[in-house]
Amino acid sequence: IAPNDTLSCPPAEVIFNNLSNPVDNSYQINWDFGDGKTSKALSPTHIYEEEGLYTVGLEIISPIGCVTDTIFENLIEIVPPPRADFYVEPPVLSNLQPVGDLLDQSFDAAHWEWYVNDELIAHRQNVENYTFPDTGMHKITLYITHPEKCQDTISKYVDVIPKWFFHLPN
């Protein structure tokens, strides 16, 4: 067999290409995906929903009753998905101090994309000394990618508060 992916994050869609020869639809095919689910398709697609290490079994019965089977030990590994998170420092910004740091707190990320008000601002883990362009609510979105190409995203809002000072000499 030749799965299209053996290391991924849930939900992982794996296509199992059956390379057995000669095999066609006249053969009885029995797949065991190692997670309690099975298939009788020649080259099935299966979705792994949970993290874990999965052993895959394949049994083939010819039209005249010959049987062959193979177990592929620990063939599929489903790793924890990434979790995006961040915070803004300082947590309170104003028009007098509109500069803040966007600090990553994500789990298992290898690539970062930062957006402020849906505009891409950086491709790095942390964004330091970002100046917010105006007062009001600003949407900050962080997209992260896991080393196995799985993704997660989170959005938070920062309110840049308007402050006014008046000098009235007497």
Side-chain angles (χ1 to χ4, degrees), residues 91-105:
V92 177
L93 299 170
S94 71
N95 58 323
L96 301 176
Q97 176 53 35
V99 178
D101 297 332
L102 312 179
L103 302 171
D104 175 55
Q105 288 188 309

Side-chain angles (χ1 to χ4, degrees), residues 24-30 40 59-63:
D24 57 31
N25 288 330
S26 66
Y27 286 72
Q28 181 180 342
I29 311 292
N30 299 311
K40 296 195 176 290
E59 177 187 61
I60 301 174
I61 304 170
S62 74

Side-chain angles (χ1 to χ4, degrees), residues 84-88 102-105 114-117 132 137-142 153-159:
D85 196 12
F86 70 91
Y87 68 98
V88 178
L102 312 179
L103 302 171
D104 175 55
Q105 288 188 309
W114 292 92
Y115 291 81
V116 174
N117 299 324
F132 288 87
M137 296 296 280
H138 296 276
K139 179 181 175 185
I140 303 169
T141 303
L142 172 61
T153 184
I154 188 170
S155 293
K156 295 182 180 181
Y157 290 87
V158 163
D159 189 7

Side-chain angles (χ1 to χ4, degrees), residues 146-167:
H146 183 275
E148 299 309 320
K149 309 299 183 228
C150 309
Q151 298 180 325
D152 193 27
T153 184
I154 188 170
S155 293
K156 295 182 180 181
Y157 290 87
V158 163
D159 189 7
V160 179
I161 301 166
K163 288 188 177 180
W164 303 94
F165 288 97
F166 294 99
H167 177 68

Side-chain angles (χ1 to χ4, degrees), residues 8 18 20 29 57 65 75 77 84 91 107 109 117 120 124-125 143 158:
S8 192
N18 189 341
S20 305
I29 311 292
L75 179 66
E77 183 176 5
F107 168 75
N117 299 324
L120 178 65
R124 58 185 179 272
Q125 185 173 9
Y143 293 91
V158 163

